[in-house]
Amino acid sequence: MHPRHIERHRTKRVGWLRAAVLGANDGIVSTASLVLGVAAAHATRSNIMVAGVAGLVAGAMSMAAGEYVSVHTQADTEMADIELERKELKTDEAGEHKELAAIYVGRGLDPALAKQVVDQLMAHDGLGAHVRDELGITKAHSARPIQAAFASAASFAIGAAMPLLITLLAPAVNLILFVAGTSLVFLALLGGVAAYASGASLTAGAMRVTFWSALAMALTAGVGALFGAVV
């Protein structure tokens, strides 16, 4: 495989890994914060679990809906670009021919060879050649809204399940400490994984995620304790 193709596949894998890690991060932070807020208000374990499960479902559906809308917008843009390219091929085939040849020359082909390649590609599938080489749209990298929505919801739900499991198993007297501590450990690990996938510092990535997650949990727990005392 050509090195450029290897790099493209690696970038795609890294993108999926980062998206999965970020979804799991969101699931842990939001659900753990919700659990801590309700627990700080002196709710029973069953009430905490109900709130946590509701938060998991609501968060997963919100992630799915947001991702679906975002990726579907990208898909609509791609379809509009393809339709525009189709019209340009009908109205100015010679100009599009030259445009595609210039792309291949820019990639290193001799002008005469580029013209020959374009002649053959245009005779076989002109629109496909322009979509692939001019617009950069391929089947492997085209927008898939439903797939993206399911992946986003699943990664969030997996992350959110962790603090809920701890809530179910931890002793009631130490529930807040167990949920907060284990959540921060998992978040630090995920932060390190995301940093590693991006080629950044593992320590910096873990510390960044841990700090902001701890802040979110502390603020939510504080609000819960405040309302619990008032009510």
Side-chain angles (χ1 to χ4, degrees):
M1 183 179 289
H2 192 280
R4 189 174 299 171
H5 293 168
I6 295 174
E7 181 62 25
R8 187 181 300 121
H9 288 303
R10 178 183 179 277
T11 301
K12 186 179 179 182
R13 288 196 300 270
V14 169
W16 276 105
L17 177 60
R18 289 191 64 194
V21 169
L22 291 175
N25 275 347
D26 288 343
I28 295 175
V29 173
S30 60
T31 306
S33 297
L34 178 60
V35 165
L36 293 176
V38 178
H42 310 294
T44 63
R45 190 194 299 266
S46 61
N47 288 337
I48 296 171
M49 286 298 299
V50 169
V53 171
L56 183 155
V57 175
M61 292 306 299
S62 176
M63 293 283 286
E67 191 72 10
Y68 179 84
V69 171
S70 175
V71 177
H72 206 295
T73 300
Q74 179 186 342
D76 290 342
T77 301
E78 291 179 355
M79 292 303 297
D81 288 341
I82 292 173
E83 187 60 31
L84 178 61
E85 198 65 36
R86 191 192 311 274
K87 292 179 180 179
E88 289 177 348
L89 281 170
K90 290 182 179 179
T91 58
D92 186 18
E93 184 175 354
E96 291 297 302
H97 191 290
K98 293 178 180 179
E99 187 176 19
L100 192 59
I103 291 173
Y104 295 146
V105 170
R107 293 178 181 177
L109 290 185
D110 179 86
L113 178 58
K115 182 179 183 305
Q116 183 180 356
V117 170
V118 171
D119 288 340
Q120 294 186 12
L121 289 176
M122 294 284 283
H124 174 67
D125 182 12
L127 179 62
H130 280 273
V131 168
R132 181 181 61 254
D133 294 322
E134 182 182 345
L135 302 181
I137 301 173
T138 64
K139 290 183 179 179
H141 296 88
S142 61
R144 295 185 175 91
I146 295 178
Q147 180 180 348
F150 273 113
S152 184
S155 62
F156 181 95
I158 291 171
M162 191 282 296
L164 287 180
L165 181 61
I166 300 301
T167 301
L168 187 64
L169 300 177
V173 66
N174 293 321
L175 189 147
I176 290 179
L177 290 177
F178 270 89
V179 171
T182 54
S183 296
L184 290 175
V185 169
F186 275 98
L187 285 164
L189 292 173
L190 288 174
V193 170
Y196 175 78
S198 303
S201 168
L202 272 69
T203 303
M207 290 180 63
R208 182 167 54 244
V209 171
T210 303
F211 172 78
W212 288 105
S213 299
L215 181 61
M217 293 179 198
L219 289 174
T220 310
V223 171
L226 178 63
F227 276 88
V230 172
V231 176

